[in-house]
Amino acid sequence: MCPDTGKAEAGHRGRKRLNAEENERVHFKEENKMTINNQAVETWIGEMAEMTRPDRIVYIDGSKEQIEELRELAVRTGEMIRLNQELLPDCYYYRTSPKDVARDEKRTLICTKTREEAGPTNNWTDPQEMYAKMKKLYQGCMKGRTMYVIPFSMGVPGSPFAKIGIELTDSVYVVLNMCIMTRVGAGAVRLLEEGADFTRCLHSKADLNENEKYIVHFPEDNAIWSINSAYGGNVLLGKKCLALRIASFMGRNEGWMAEHMLILGIENPQGEVKYICAAFPSACGKTNLAMLIPPELYRKQGYKVWTVGDDIAWLRVGEDGRLWAVNPENGFFGVAPGTNDRSNPNALATTKRGTIFTNVARNLDNNTVWWERLDKEPLVNGEDWLGRPWNGRESEEKGAHPNSRFTAPAENCPCVSSEFNSLTGVPISAIVFGGRRAKTEPLVYEARNWNHGVFMGASMSSETTAAANGAVGVVRHDPMAMLPFCGYNMADYFRHWLEMGRQVTDPPKFFHVNWFRTDEEGAFIWPGFGENLRVLLWMLDRCEHKVSAVKSPIGFQPDPRDIDLTGLDIAPETMKKLLSINLDIWKDEAAGIETFFSQFPDLPKELAEELTTLKKNLLIPTANPRNASSSIAV
Ligand code: GTP
Ligand code: SPV
Ligand code: MN
C-alpha cells in the first residue's frame, strides 16, 4: 500500500510506511510559511485544492532549511535514499516505478481550441473534453497528502526573458528537483505580487496508473496538467512542458523563440568568447557538448569552453540585430550512463554535491551510485535500478536504466559560464542542428543562408533513444529536435523561424553536424566528445570569414584540411569519408523529407523551395574539393 494515500503502491519499492505519529512530526518552521499576495494565484490554488483535496498545503520558498526538511521527510518515508554524505554531500537516490522511466510522448497532448492549431505532429483532444476527463482523475487524488506550492521563475527574475510558473504537486521528489532545475522562491513571488502572469502547472502522481497517465498542455490558458507519472520530463513541469511547449507557443505570439538547444561559449587564446547554440534530439549529446573539455593541444593554447545551458535556449532579437540567448533553467537533468571522467568530467564533477540520482545503480559497498561506463571496473556488490541485488561481473542485464539521470545544480559545474545569470543573455554566432545518423549525414556542413538553415533544421532526422518510451534506434524526422516539444502547429513554427530570420539583421550562421556516423562494423568513426571542438572551431572560422568552404548539393562543406586533426589518429581518407555524402542515399533522404513535409497542408513556401533546390542539386555530382571554381568566397 502507498503510505500516504492508502492506495495500491504502483512503484517506489522499499518505501516505508509513514505512521501517524511520524506524520505529525512533519512540520515546517514558522518562518517558512509564506503567502503569495496575488488574487489570481490564491483563487487558482483554492480551486485546485478543492478538486484534489490535500490534507495540507505547504508553500515552497526554496530555502536551505526547507529543502533539508523535505529531504529528511523523503528519507523517512523511504521515497529517497540518502547517499554517502562524505563522498556525495547532499546527494540522494530515487527510483521511479519500473514503467515510468522516460517521457511518454503518446500520453503528451497539446489541447488547443482546434486540432489544426496543434498540428499533425501533436496529440490533440478538445480542451473542454480533456479538462472534464482529468478533473475526474484529479478528484480527491491528494487526500492524505500534502500539496506543495512551488513558485518558480524560468530565467533570472527581472530578465526580459523570464517567465513565471507555479507548480502544485504532491511529490516531494518533484519539489526537490524543481528546486535544483528552476529558480524557486522570492524572485518569482515578488514578480507574482507585482501582478505577473504565470503558468498554472498542476501535477499529481495520483496512484501512478500508467493507463491514466496524461501530460496535457493548454497553451491558450497558459496551463499544464500532469497526472499518474513521477518521472522527469513528465512532472518537472518547468522543463519541457513550460520552457518548450508552452514557451514556444508564447514565443510565436510575442516574437521570440523557445528551442531545444544547448548554449556554449568558446573562449580563444585572446580571451574572446563566441557563443553557439545547438539543437540535438534527446540523448544525442547536448549535455556533453555543452560541457566539452578541449583536447590537450587546445587547452595548452588557451582555449576554454563555457556552459550557458545544456538543454533549452530562449532566443530574442537584440537591439543590435543579433540573436541573443538565455538558458531558462538553473540545473542539469542529465543522462547518467556514459558519463565518466574521460567522456564528460565536468558533468561528473557537477554531480558530486546536491544531486538527485534517478534510476541509476547503487554501490552497496560505499552507498554511492554507479552506471554503465562510469568506470572500467563493473560494480560487484550493487543494487540495480529496480532495487535488486546486482553483480556487474555476472549479470547480463544493465545496472542502471539507459535513461537514468542526475539532477544537478548548474552552480556546481566547473565550466559554468560567467554569463549564466546574465539578464540579457549571450549573442549567438552559430546555430547547429544535429542528430544520430549512421550513414546519411556528414560530420559537418553549413547552410547557405537563414532560410536554408531553417530547412536544414526542419528536415532533420535522428535515431530514437531511451529518453522517450518506445523503440530505440529508429530513424524519425525530428525538426529542430522539437518534434515532441512544439506547443503548436509545426508548419506555423517553421513560419515563425522564417519570420525571425527577417528580423535578425546580423544573423548567426547555420550548421549541421553528425557525431554518430558508423563504419562497416557499426563503430563510431568520429571520436566525438572533446574532439568535437575541432568542428566547432571550423564553424567559428567560417563565421569570421577566415576559411573558404566547398559547395556541395546539401550546403557548404569544409575543405578536409581546414578541420585540424593534429594529435588525432585519423587518416585523411577517414576524414574524407566522414565528410562524404552518398547521392543515392541523399535522393532517398530528399524523398523522405518530401513525405514528411506533405503532412503539413500549410507548409511555408520557402521550405518547399528549399526542397526543390536540394532535389535539383542532387542531380549534380559532388564538386571536387580541390577545384577552385567550386570554392566559394569567404
Ligand atoms: P537529453 O538530456 O535527453 O536532452 O540528452 P542530451 O542531448 O543532453 O545527450 P547527452 O549529452 O546526455 O548524451 C547522450 C548519450 O550520447 C550519452 O551516452 C553520451 O555518452 C553520448 N554522446 C554524447 N556526445 C557524444 C559524441 O560526441 N560521440 C558519441 N559517440 N557519443 C556521444
Ligand atoms: C529529454 O528527454 O530531452 C530530457 C529528459 O532532457 S526529460 O526532461 O525527461 O524530457
Ligand atoms: Mn541532456
Side-chain angles (χ1 to χ4, degrees):
M1 297 288 273
C2 194
D4 48 4
T5 59
K7 291 177 185 170
E9 187 179 343
H12 309 288
R13 291 153 313 288
R15 182 192 285 184
K16 279 187 294 186
R17 210 186 155 85
L18 184 69
N19 63 37
E21 195 191 331
E22 269 180 316
N23 213 354
E24 268 314 294
R25 275 192 269 120
V26 177
H27 65 277
F28 292 87
K29 292 195 187 100
E30 201 58 37
E31 62 264 33
N32 283 335
K33 289 240 171 71
M34 66 181 210
T35 52
I36 301 173
N37 192 6
N38 171 320
Q39 193 54 51
V41 171
E42 259 181 44
T43 308
W44 173 66
I45 296 174
E47 284 168 8
M48 296 301 105
E50 182 71 16
M51 176 168 73
T52 55
R53 302 252 159 208
D55 281 13
R56 301 184 312 155
I57 299 180
V58 170
Y59 283 72
I60 301 299
D61 61 13
S63 65
K64 275 205 172 75
E65 297 75 28
Q66 199 184 33
I67 287 172
E68 200 42 55
E69 287 205 40
L70 288 167
R71 286 168 171 166
E72 276 168 27
L73 171 64
V75 169
R76 234 177 11 251
T77 59
E79 186 174 351
M80 292 201 197
I81 293 172
R82 181 177 281 118
L83 292 165
N84 184 325
Q85 294 297 291
E86 265 159 48
L87 298 175
L88 296 169
D90 294 330
C91 291
Y92 290 79
Y93 177 81
Y94 179 80
R95 289 189 190 105
T96 64
S97 161
K99 290 190 173 163
D100 190 29
V101 293
R103 279 185 296 102
D104 202 320
E105 296 182 3
K106 288 206 180 78
R107 299 199 152 264
T108 301
L109 286 83
I110 303 293
C111 295
T112 41
K113 283 204 184 72
T114 66
R115 183 189 288 272
E116 215 255 312
E117 278 162 288
T121 58
N122 280 315
N123 299 313
W124 176 88
T125 297
D126 175 80
Q128 294 319 317
E129 197 181 305
M130 208 58 211
Y131 275 129
K133 182 174 185 166
M134 293 187 82
K135 276 180 186 164
K136 281 198 194 128
L137 299 175
Y138 280 123
Q139 210 64 50
C141 69
M142 294 194 193
K143 271 189 196 146
R145 298 182 184 180
T146 301
M147 174 194 270
Y148 297 98
V149 177
I150 316 168
F152 65 95
S153 175
M154 300 310 293
V156 183
S159 151
F161 286 84
K163 295 286 176 191
I164 305 301
I166 301 179
E167 177 159 357
L168 308 180
T169 179
D170 53 8
S171 159
V172 175
Y173 171 75
V174 168
V175 175
L176 291 174
N177 273 273
M178 285 292 286
C179 286
I180 298 172
M181 294 304 296
T182 75
R183 292 167 172 90
V184 169
V189 171
R190 179 172 45 82
L191 289 164
L192 285 165
E193 296 195 337
E194 286 166 16
D197 195 11
F198 63 101
T199 305
R200 290 149 173 79
C201 308
L202 174 63
H203 165 252
S204 174
K205 58 191 175 190
D207 54 7
L208 296 175
N209 177 352
E210 56 178 309
N211 300 316
E212 301 280 17
K213 186 197 300 180
Y214 294 103
I215 302 96
V216 184
H217 306 72
F218 302 98
E220 287 137 348
D221 300 339
N222 198 5
I224 304 160
W225 281 15
S226 163
I227 194 162
N228 280 314
S229 173
Y231 174 79
N234 299 333
V235 299
L236 310 180
L237 300 183
K239 194 173 177 56
K240 297 303 207 290
C241 298
L242 193 167
L244 287 179
R245 299 193 190 95
I246 295 290
S248 61
F249 180 92
M250 288 176 171
R252 190 256 318 249
N253 293 338
E254 298 170 6
W256 52 282
M257 301 198 288
E259 298 299 330
H260 191 196
M261 290 176 174
L262 66 91
I263 311 165
L264 64 78
I266 300 180
E267 181 174 334
N268 69 14
Q270 291 74 48
E272 297 155 348
V273 187
K274 292 272 180 329
Y275 295 91
I276 294 177
C277 280
F280 308 153
S282 300
C284 291
K286 288 183 300 300
T287 302
N288 275 274
L289 192 68
M291 297 181 188
L292 176 156
I293 293 190
E296 199 185 349
L297 163 82
Y298 290 89
R299 276 205 308 277
K300 280 194 181 141
Q301 289 173 44
Y303 282 97
K304 292 180 185 133
V305 169
W306 301 109
T307 310
V308 182
D310 82 323
D311 197 43
I312 297 175
W314 285 358
L315 301 136
R316 283 173 184 264
V317 185
E319 276 166 21
D320 58 1
R322 288 190 292 175
L323 207 51
W324 290 70
V326 299
N327 166 17
E329 301 191 281
N330 204 26
F332 307 118
F333 187 59
V335 176
T339 307
N340 59 50
D341 55 14
R342 293 170 313 278
S343 66
N344 194 347
N346 283 326
L348 203 59
T350 308
T351 64
K352 295 295 180 199
R353 272 178 290 136
T355 296
I356 300 171
F357 296 91
T358 301
N359 292 341
V360 299
R362 204 155 64 93
N363 183 339
L364 296 180
D365 284 335
N366 60 4
N367 190 24
T368 60
V369 286
W370 190 88
W371 49 77
E372 275 61 31
R373 303 187 302 289
L374 171 65
D375 43 35
K376 289 201 184 87
E377 290 302 312
L379 176 61
V380 176
N381 179 25
E383 235 174 36
D384 70 2
W385 68 277
L386 290 157
R388 303 174 301 191
W390 190 79
N391 179 340
R393 287 226 180 93
E394 290 165 7
S395 180
E396 300 269 291
E397 291 178 53
K398 287 192 156 64
H401 186 275
N403 191 39
S404 54
R405 300 251 169 187
F406 54 80
T407 317
E411 64 180 21
N412 285 2
C413 182
C415 56
V416 69
S417 165
S418 58
E419 300 303 305
F420 185 81
N421 288 315
S422 159
L423 299 182
T424 48
V426 293
I428 299 304
S429 299
I431 289 182
V432 183
F433 294 117
R436 287 178 184 262
R437 296 303 297 273
K439 300 287 171 228
T440 316
E441 296 283 5
L443 182 63
V444 61
Y445 62 103
E446 179 191 325
R448 292 180 293 271
N449 51 41
W450 183 283
N451 283 4
H452 183 219
V454 175
F455 172 79
M456 213 152 82
S459 58
M460 243 168 88
S461 292
S462 188
E463 291 162 19
T464 51
T465 66
N469 288 346
V472 169
V474 180
V475 175
R476 72 168 183 185
H477 280 274
D478 189 351
M480 282 87 173
M482 282 288 279
L483 182 76
F485 307 118
C486 184
Y488 61 104
N489 191 316
M490 213 133 200
D492 292 332
Y493 168 78
F494 298 150
R495 195 166 290 108
H496 182 49
W497 261 95
L498 294 163
E499 173 53 31
M500 291 294 291
R502 287 186 277 275
Q503 289 178 29
V504 182
T505 48
D506 187 359
K509 275 187 182 291
F510 285 84
F511 299 88
H512 190 290
V513 298
N514 179 21
W515 314 137
F516 299 94
R517 195 136 162 180
T518 54
D519 61 19
E520 287 69 25
E521 277 82 50
F524 295 123
I525 308 175
W526 177 247
F529 300 98
E531 309 300 344
N532 293 334
L533 180 68
R534 298 166 191 265
V535 177
L536 300 183
L537 289 177
W538 175 77
M539 293 177 191
L540 291 184
D541 280 350
R542 288 291 300 154
C543 292
E544 288 160 37
H545 308 284
K546 287 185 181 156
V547 289
S548 61
V550 182
K551 258 187 198 163
S552 92
I554 61 172
F556 298 143
Q557 291 204 267
D559 179 321
R561 295 180 306 187
D562 287 333
I563 295 185
D564 183 14
L565 296 180
T566 314
L568 272 188
D569 188 19
I570 293 187
E573 293 315 305
T574 311
M575 194 59 188
K576 268 196 198 139
K577 202 166 162 191
L578 277 164
L579 292 171
S580 69
I581 56 168
N582 176 312
L583 290 186
D584 288 331
I585 294 181
W586 266 90
K587 280 175 191 160
D588 288 346
E589 184 75 6
I593 296 169
E594 188 151 23
T595 308
F596 179 71
F597 280 177
S598 69
Q599 69 184 305
F600 304 106
D602 208 15
L603 186 82
K605 68 169 190 339
E606 290 87 343
L607 293 188
E609 284 164 12
E610 291 293 340
L611 178 59
T612 306
T613 306
L614 173 65
K615 289 198 315 200
K616 232 189 275 166
N617 287 352
L618 287 169
L619 301 174
I620 307 167
T622 318
N624 172 358
R626 287 286 107 219
N627 177 346
S629 66
S630 70
S631 278
I632 48 147
V634 295

